[in-house]
């Protein structure tokens, strides 16, 4: 953001104070749109440009005939040039500016203490001020980012302002969407202040996301002149003895997402269950490892999914190892999930051996599985997830989908996707199997591996939102996610047809 500011000011010639004015206008407008009572606002300002935004907002509120006041929490000696200008204007207009904590109550507290540059733990006077702000009645809003949230990681730096609304400049900061930062940021909204979005294009450090309006443009096309082979032959090496459910959910999800033909390679005692639960799938079974049959199935497939409910037996290990060896000379998409990842964590050299493949493997680890793959603690990964993802995909030829409340998908030299959809109802057994199936179904239709991963994550989450709307937070099952995904895709298809007709 500093570089974007500098470019906009020095190269485009838009003065810094103009950016600050547009920021303040955007903040006031968004608060008004959200119905906040601004009649008696307290803006708490620091010494930097974030504080300057706050002083400018106070002046705009005063021009509307309201009665804002400013608590200056910064230091006079540390005032930025622009903040000093805005502070002098506010003081000349007679808007109250003070440094001691007030005793009266306000309709809204607006945080403009620290911006995105904060990297140290909050302590001393700043700690006292922010804790006081949190304890006050009335509504709470933050300018750009709540003070105390790390803009890069979402980590809480000692304490943080607890906003219900955060109005961001140019783009929402990643730390406001990653937990625990999201809990402090509340609703997030970005306002344009003159920094062109084009400036960020091609910068891998800038993440992107999807919303529902994107879906009609993202779904793979369905041709009128087509057959089941058009939409891919999927081999699912899933379901050890007694784990037919994982195989069924993954297969059902892949079919529901549009795959043409699915063959499930599974333990013998799963046959009857799968044939009854998913009669559309071909079911081939093993009792022991059979290299010849395995090779034939791999050659038959266009896309491979391995790991859902696979177990960690000797047979399972052989299935994974030989699948990876096959991929060394055959560039087919392969999704590795669940037990496949646990087995892979002891065979990372096999993944590294694929480093010249044009078609990367897609891995879908949750935090604990990522810990096994990297040797780093869950806590470290949670606090440094983008750094960990960047390091991982730089070393291995993979698209890595790191599953969490904010799932991220990364690939070397590609901007990272961050999913903002979904809800806590999805925290149920089988949810990961469904995600693996959704990604597989998209890849089977010829989508780029990264695009199938990112869209698969988003569709899975939207399916969870549909399921939550029907059943609430407690009663959603993994199968409900599939129904939700199918509904989302149907809605997107109808929307796309309407747009095309217009």
């Amino acid at each position: 953001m500093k570089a974007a500011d500098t470019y906009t000011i020095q190269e485009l010639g838009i003065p810094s104070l103009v950016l600050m004015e547009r920021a303040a206008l955007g903040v006031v407008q968004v608060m008004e749109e959200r119905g906040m009572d601004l009649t008696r606002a307290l803006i708490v300002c620091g010494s930097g440009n974030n504080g300057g935004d706050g002083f400018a907002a106070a002046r705009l509120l005063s021009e509307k005939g309201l009665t804002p006041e400013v608590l200056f929490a910064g230091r006079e000696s540390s005032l930025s040039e622009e903040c000093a200008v805005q502070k002098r204007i506010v003081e000349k207009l007679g808007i109250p500016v003070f440094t001691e904590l007030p005793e009266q109550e306000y309709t809204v507290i607006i945080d403009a203490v620290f911006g995105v540059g904060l990297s140290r733990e909050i302590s001393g006077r700043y700690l006292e001020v922010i804790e006081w702000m949190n304890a006050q009645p009335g509504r709470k809003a933050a300018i750009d980012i709540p003070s105390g949230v790390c803009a890069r990681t979402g980590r809480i730096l000692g304490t943080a302002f607890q906003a219900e609304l955060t109005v961001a400049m140019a783009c929402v900061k990643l730390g406001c969407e990653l937990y625990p930062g999201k809990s402090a940021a509340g609703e997030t909204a970005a306002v344009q202040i003159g920094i062109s979005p084009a400036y960020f294009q091609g910068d891998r450090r800038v993440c992107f996301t999807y919303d529902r309006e994107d879906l009609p443009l993202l779904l793979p096309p369905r041709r009128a002149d087509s057959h089941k082979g058009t939409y891919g032959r999927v081999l699912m090496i899933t379901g050890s003895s007694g784990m037919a459910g994982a195989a069924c959910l993954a297969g059902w999800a892949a079919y529901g997402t549009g795959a043409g033909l699915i063959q499930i390679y599974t333990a013998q005692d799963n046959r009857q269950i799968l044939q009854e639960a998913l009669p559309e799938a071909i079911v081939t079974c093993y009792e022991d490892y059979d290299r010849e049959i395995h090779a034939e199935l791999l050659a038959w497939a266009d896309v491979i999914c391995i790991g859902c409910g696979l177990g960690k037996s000797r047979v399972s290990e052989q299935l994974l190892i030989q699948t990876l060896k096959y991929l060394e000379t055959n560039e087919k998409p392969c999704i590795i999930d669940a037990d496949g990842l646990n087995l892979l964590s002891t065979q990372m050299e096999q993944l590294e051996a694929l480093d010249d493949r044009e078609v990367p493997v897609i891995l879908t680890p949750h935090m604990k599985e990522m810990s096994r793959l990297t040797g780093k603690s869950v806590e470290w990964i949670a606090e440094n997830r983008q750094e960990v993802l960047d390091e991982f995909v730089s070393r291995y030829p993979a698209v890595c989908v790191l599953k969490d409340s904010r799932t991220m998908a990364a690939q070397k030299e590609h901007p990272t996707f961050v999913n903002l959809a979904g809800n806590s109802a999805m925290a149920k057994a089988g949810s990961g199997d469904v995600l693996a199936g959704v990604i597989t179904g998209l890849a089977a239709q010829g989508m780029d591996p990264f695009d199938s991963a990112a869209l698969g994550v988003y569709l899975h989450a939207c399916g969870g939102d549909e399921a939550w709307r029907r059943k609430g937070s407690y009663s959603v099952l993994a199968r409900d996610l599939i129904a939700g995904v199918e509904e989302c895709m149907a809605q997107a298809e109808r929307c796309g047809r309407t747009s095309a007709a217009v």
Side-chain angles (χ1 to χ4, degrees):
M1 287 304 299
K2 276 189 175 182
D5 274 343
T6 301
Y7 173 80
T8 304
I9 294 164
Q10 296 183 0
E11 299 298 323
L12 300 184
I14 301 176
S16 179
L17 282 172
V18 171
L19 299 180
M20 193 168 282
E21 288 297 306
R22 293 190 64 178
L25 281 166
V27 168
V28 172
Q29 180 179 345
V30 173
M31 289 191 297
E32 288 177 332
E33 289 172 352
R34 299 308 188 272
M36 287 190 166
D37 182 355
L38 304 176
T39 53
R40 187 165 177 77
L42 177 68
I43 304 94
V44 186
C45 296
S47 308
N49 283 359
N50 192 252
D53 295 342
F55 279 113
R59 189 187 75 250
L60 294 175
L61 291 174
S62 178
E63 290 173 0
K64 290 175 176 288
L66 306 176
T67 56
E69 296 183 356
V70 177
L71 170 60
F72 179 53
R75 299 185 179 91
E76 290 285 345
S77 60
S78 301
L79 281 167
S80 70
E81 181 180 347
E82 293 83 358
C83 187
V85 169
Q86 296 287 3
K87 181 172 181 288
R88 285 196 297 272
I89 294 171
V90 163
E91 289 170 335
K92 287 180 180 180
L93 288 172
I95 298 170
V97 179
F98 40 83
T99 57
E100 297 299 319
L101 298 178
E103 295 183 359
Q104 59 264 45
E105 294 185 358
Y106 299 88
T107 57
V108 62
I109 307 289
I110 302 171
D111 169 28
V113 181
F114 292 115
V116 297
L118 182 68
S119 58
R120 66 183 187 278
E121 297 278 318
I122 291 177
S123 60
R125 169 67 171 171
Y126 291 115
L127 177 66
E128 178 188 2
V129 169
I130 291 172
E131 290 185 344
W132 176 86
M133 293 162 66
N134 287 336
Q136 298 311 296
R139 304 187 70 176
K140 308 284 199 314
I143 297 179
D144 206 24
I145 188 169
S147 295
V149 173
C150 175
R152 182 174 60 87
T153 68
R155 187 164 69 92
I156 303 300
L157 300 170
T159 191
F161 179 69
Q162 298 297 309
E164 63 180 274
L165 171 67
T166 297
V167 184
M169 306 303 112
C171 58
V172 174
K173 310 310 177 287
L174 182 60
C176 288
E177 294 297 349
L178 300 180
Y179 288 93
K182 178 62 176 175
S183 296
E187 180 192 356
T188 54
V191 293
Q192 297 310 309
I193 63 172
I195 296 174
S196 172
Y199 177 84
F200 301 107
Q201 289 179 3
D203 190 332
R204 287 194 62 253
R205 297 168 298 176
V206 180
C207 303
F208 74 99
T209 193
Y210 294 141
D211 58 38
R212 291 290 284 267
E213 288 73 23
D214 295 319
L215 284 179
L217 301 175
L218 295 170
L219 294 179
R222 305 288 286 192
R223 302 202 308 265
D225 182 19
S226 61
H227 53 82
K228 62 179 180 289
T230 306
Y231 305 113
R233 294 175 297 187
V234 173
L235 173 63
M236 289 199 150
I237 308 174
T238 53
S240 61
S241 179
M243 296 295 289
C248 182
L249 288 168
W252 187 5
Y255 263 139
T257 313
L261 181 61
I262 295 172
Q263 183 163 190
I264 300 175
Y265 193 35
T266 188
Q268 179 63 43
D269 61 0
N270 291 332
R271 179 185 292 277
Q272 183 176 348
I273 297 170
L274 287 171
Q275 287 179 331
E276 292 178 356
L278 194 62
E280 298 88 347
I282 303 168
V283 180
T284 304
C285 298
Y286 60 80
E287 291 184 343
D288 203 347
Y289 182 68
D290 188 316
R291 184 187 297 268
E292 184 176 344
I293 291 177
H294 185 203
E296 289 175 358
L297 292 172
L298 291 171
W300 170 86
D302 298 314
V303 177
I304 304 153
C305 176
I306 182 169
C308 303
L310 187 63
K312 292 182 283 185
S313 67
R314 177 188 58 81
V315 174
S316 301
E317 185 175 11
Q318 282 295 106
L319 286 167
L320 178 69
I321 291 172
Q322 295 305 318
T323 297
L324 291 172
K325 287 186 180 298
Y326 174 82
L327 294 174
E328 291 179 17
T329 54
N330 297 272
E331 293 183 343
K332 296 180 180 181
C334 180
I335 294 82
I336 305 179
D337 182 51
D339 286 327
L341 296 168
N342 294 326
L343 292 167
L344 180 64
S345 66
T346 64
Q347 306 282 341
M348 295 302 285
E349 69 281 358
Q350 299 275 356
L351 182 60
E352 213 159 7
L354 305 178
D355 61 359
D356 60 348
R357 279 185 94 236
E358 292 186 10
V359 180
V361 170
I362 302 173
L363 309 180
T364 56
H366 55 55
M367 285 288 183
K368 188 63 176 177
E369 290 162 346
M370 192 66 173
S371 177
R372 297 187 188 107
L373 293 173
T374 61
K376 302 179 187 297
S377 70
V378 170
E379 292 73 23
W380 172 261
I381 296 170
E383 287 192 1
N384 302 276
R385 64 190 75 198
Q386 189 166 17
E387 177 185 333
V388 171
L389 274 171
D390 287 347
E391 180 183 324
F392 188 86
V393 298
S394 294
R395 180 174 180 181
Y396 299 107
V399 175
C400 187
V401 175
L402 181 56
K403 298 184 294 193
D404 196 36
S405 55
R406 285 289 188 252
T407 295
M408 303 173 76
Q411 183 183 356
K412 186 178 181 179
E413 299 179 356
H414 199 295
T416 299
F417 170 77
V418 180
N419 176 57
L420 303 184
N423 57 81
S424 62
M426 301 171 68
K428 288 286 181 70
S431 180
D433 302 316
V434 172
L435 175 60
V438 171
I439 294 172
T440 301
L442 295 171
Q445 296 169 79
M447 287 191 70
D448 170 82
F450 179 84
D451 292 340
S452 63
L455 179 57
V457 167
Y458 184 65
L459 273 174
H460 179 255
C462 289
D465 288 337
E466 289 291 328
W468 172 81
R469 276 188 277 273
R470 291 197 312 271
K471 300 184 69 173
S473 298
Y474 297 93
S475 304
V476 170
L477 298 175
R479 71 190 73 167
D480 299 317
L481 306 181
I482 302 172
V485 168
E486 293 168 348
E487 175 59 27
C488 290
M489 295 182 76
Q491 291 173 7
E493 185 178 15
R494 289 193 293 270
C495 180
R497 286 176 177 171
T498 301
S499 299
V502 172

